[in-house]
Amino acid sequence: MFQTIIGTISSFMYSKLLVILLIGAGVYFTVRTRFPQVRLFKNACGSVMEKPEDKGAISSFQALMVSTASRVGTGNIVGVSSAICIGGFGSVFWMWVIAIIGSASALIESTLAQIYKKKGKDGSCYGGPAYYIEAALHCRPLAIVFCVAMILTYAFGFNMLASYNLQSTFSVFSFYEAKMSPWIIGGILAVLTGWCLLGGGSRIVKVTSMVVPVMGIAYIGISLLVVIINIQNVPAMFVRIFEEAFDFKAIFGAFSGSAMMQGIRRGLYSNEAGIGSAPNASASANVSHPVKQGLVQMLSVFIDTLLLCTATAMMCMSSGIDPAKELQGAPWVQASLQESLGSFGPIFITVAMVFFAFTTLLGNCFYCDNLLIYIHKKQPEKAFMKGFRLVSALVIFLGAGMEMSLLWDLSDVLMGVMALINIPVILILSGIAFKAIQDYEAQLKQGINPVFKSADIDLRQKTDFWR
């Protein structure tokens, strides 16, 4: 009964409300900022390597790795596989579309998070949608609703799904036993994650900064190898992508299961552009101008979808193994790699899933720290935080043994609630972000390193920084 209700809500939200909101906002921001995905791509790459002025402060690169750790997860493997198995090859095209236009939304929301970020007692900075909702709209109740929705989404929905996706990759091995193995794997994962979480945000930042780059490069390298091995299938693969993407009869005949909807849903789950998650990491970076971190987060969307999601899609679609609903998730990916790389393929995917899921769990829980600080109006007591992190670890354990379709639908609904709050808010506040982008570009034209002051854009609200 519960699963049916959640599935119905999920289908309704994604067939109507969120499609219009996400694509409409992304197109609007793209046009108003004159296609920053192309114009400012070089500047985004340069901003990643800037070092903070204060020693010990979180850099743009570290903030990027935390947000990428949350974005780059099991959705890059299992989510992409599920989208193609249900919606067909055309899902990949719509995944690309939602990433390209959604990256403009990522630019706006992360720029706003930087403008309205708060200063901690130790001089560090933190913030996110809750803070710009209250500072600019003076609506703390709405900000609290957003915080609760995001905690439910990340500490519970996404983490349970990541746990399930991880344990499912072990199902191809002889030692896997359907009744007990998920709980054993979930227990091990919960203990490891709990150890990192109890070390606090600094340990999370340190671990993800080391693991994410290595993990991503290795994954893309193996994907390129598989595509090269199956190079003869690549031309037909691209033809099929575009044919199925524009099969309008199929799209409108079964909209919720179409290539368009599957691409949008799984693309959104993977890159998270516009839903208000990445700004929590963006606000923690120490930069000289808010737009710099906005551009860095725009780059994170590209890394997630245009590189890693595409890598999964290419190596599976070029393998010659046709997708099918019964293969959705890890099984199709493993079958595709076994076809191309033999017994090494399933082993590699399992190892990749371990790293993808682990960094996702850490990145998700890092976000919750900021949300809890906002709700409490101060740093929560150590006992409370310890209890919350132990509950988060327990949820990871429980997710490993739950049913896949319920976890996907639950995650979609919770994420949808976040988007329904965040997108209208950043649309209302977008004028401030547009002024900040104009200020950033004006300083670039003068040949100077952009430095932001709130008075330069006539910002009325008081901020902890930028005076």
Side-chain angles (χ1 to χ4, degrees):
M1 180 68 177
F2 177 72
Q3 182 173 350
T4 302
I5 294 172
I6 293 296
T8 302
I9 296 172
S10 175
S11 296
F12 173 76
M13 290 175 71
Y14 281 86
S15 64
K16 299 181 183 298
L17 299 176
L18 287 179
V19 174
I20 296 171
L21 198 59
L22 289 164
I23 295 181
V27 170
Y28 172 69
F29 293 140
T30 296
V31 173
R32 278 298 307 269
T33 53
R34 296 179 295 120
F35 297 86
Q37 301 95 325
V38 178
R39 289 191 312 106
L40 299 175
F41 182 79
K42 182 178 179 181
N43 301 91
C45 295
S47 296
V48 172
M49 304 314 298
E50 284 195 16
K51 295 182 179 180
E53 293 181 1
D54 299 330
K55 290 184 178 180
I58 294 178
S59 67
S60 284
F61 176 76
Q62 289 177 314
L64 172 66
M65 289 302 102
V66 171
S67 63
T68 303
S70 177
R71 284 190 173 108
V72 175
T74 57
N76 294 89
I77 300 176
V78 176
V80 173
S81 168
S82 297
I84 300 172
C85 285
I86 297 172
F89 280 33
S91 303
V92 177
F93 174 83
W94 294 107
M95 213 155 42
W96 292 337
V97 170
I98 200 69
I100 292 170
I101 65 174
S103 61
S105 300
L107 166 62
I108 298 299
E109 64 181 355
S110 292
T111 297
L112 289 170
Q114 270 286 324
I115 291 174
Y116 291 105
K117 66 184 179 181
K118 308 295 287 183
K119 182 178 289 187
K121 293 181 180 179
D122 59 355
S124 63
C125 44
Y126 59 91
Y131 296 90
Y132 59 66
I133 289 171
E134 181 174 4
L137 301 183
H138 309 293
C139 189
R140 180 172 169 81
L142 180 62
I144 290 177
V145 171
F146 178 86
C147 288
V148 173
M150 186 166 173
I151 289 171
L152 291 175
T153 302
Y154 281 79
F156 296 90
F158 282 5
N159 277 1
M160 286 193 294
L161 184 57
S163 180
Y164 174 87
N165 287 338
L166 170 60
Q167 68 82 18
S168 70
T169 62
F170 287 88
S171 62
V172 297
F173 299 106
S174 58
F175 64 80
Y176 187 90
E177 199 279 316
K179 290 186 178 180
M180 291 302 300
S181 295
W183 301 111
I184 294 172
I185 296 168
I188 294 171
L189 182 61
V191 170
L192 290 174
T193 305
W195 175 78
C196 282
L197 294 180
L198 292 174
S202 60
R203 182 176 290 170
I204 294 172
V205 170
K206 185 176 181 179
V207 171
T208 55
S209 295
M210 291 188 299
V211 172
V212 171
V214 176
M215 174 186 66
I217 292 170
Y219 190 73
I220 291 172
I222 291 295
S223 302
L224 288 173
L225 176 61
V226 172
V227 171
I228 292 171
I229 291 172
N230 300 297
I231 194 69
Q232 72 278 3
N233 297 331
V234 171
M237 176 188 72
F238 277 102
V239 169
R240 190 171 170 183
I241 288 173
F242 289 102
E243 282 182 348
E244 294 186 12
F246 295 99
D247 183 354
F248 291 106
K249 183 177 179 180
I251 288 175
F252 295 107
F255 194 59
S256 64
S258 69
M260 177 184 286
M261 283 317 309
Q262 288 302 314
I264 290 172
R265 290 173 77 165
R266 297 288 76 83
L268 174 62
Y269 170 76
S270 183
N271 66 52
E272 304 174 15
I275 70 169
S277 56
N280 291 275
S282 299
S284 67
N286 188 310
V287 292
S288 65
H289 199 290
V291 175
K292 289 183 177 181
Q293 197 59 33
L295 291 172
V296 168
Q297 293 306 324
M298 182 181 75
L299 192 64
S300 180
V301 175
F302 293 154
I303 292 171
D304 173 85
T305 305
L306 300 185
L307 284 181
L308 292 165
C309 284
T310 300
T312 298
M314 293 297 108
M315 66 182 178
C316 289
M317 294 187 298
S318 67
S319 68
I321 304 293
D322 280 334
K325 287 188 177 180
E326 57 270 20
L327 290 175
Q328 64 175 296
W332 186 46
V333 185
Q334 290 173 318
S336 299
L337 263 72
Q338 186 160 15
E339 178 71 17
S340 303
L341 301 176
S343 59
F344 171 75
I347 294 173
F348 171 76
I349 283 299
T350 301
V351 172
M353 282 288 287
V354 169
F355 284 110
F356 275 113
F358 190 58
T359 54
T360 294
L361 296 170
L362 295 182
N364 289 351
C365 292
F366 177 85
Y367 288 158
C368 293
D369 285 4
N370 283 344
L371 301 170
L372 291 170
I373 290 172
Y374 179 83
I375 292 173
H376 284 78
K377 292 187 176 181
K378 62 178 182 178
Q379 181 73 41
E381 298 294 330
K382 289 184 177 180
F384 175 87
M385 290 305 299
K386 184 176 181 179
F388 176 80
R389 285 165 177 155
L390 289 174
V391 170
S392 298
L394 176 62
V395 165
I396 291 168
F397 169 71
L398 295 175
M402 292 181 70
E403 206 275 326
M404 181 178 70
S405 60
L406 172 61
L407 291 174
W408 275 118
D409 288 338
L410 181 62
S411 297
D412 281 342
V413 169
L414 292 171
M415 181 174 59
V417 172
M418 289 175 58
L420 289 173
I421 297 173
N422 188 61
I423 291 291
V425 168
I426 62 176
L427 282 167
I428 293 170
L429 301 179
S430 60
I432 295 170
F434 295 153
K435 288 181 180 179
I437 293 171
Q438 290 172 355
D439 176 69
Y440 172 81
E441 293 195 78
Q443 293 186 58
L444 283 181
K445 288 180 181 179
Q446 297 173 23
I448 60 177
N449 181 37
V451 175
F452 183 73
K453 293 183 179 179
S454 58
D456 293 339
I457 64 168
D458 299 319
L459 187 67
R460 296 179 181 179
Q461 296 89 4
K462 290 184 179 180
T463 62
D464 286 9
F465 293 84
W466 318 120
R467 296 179 183 178

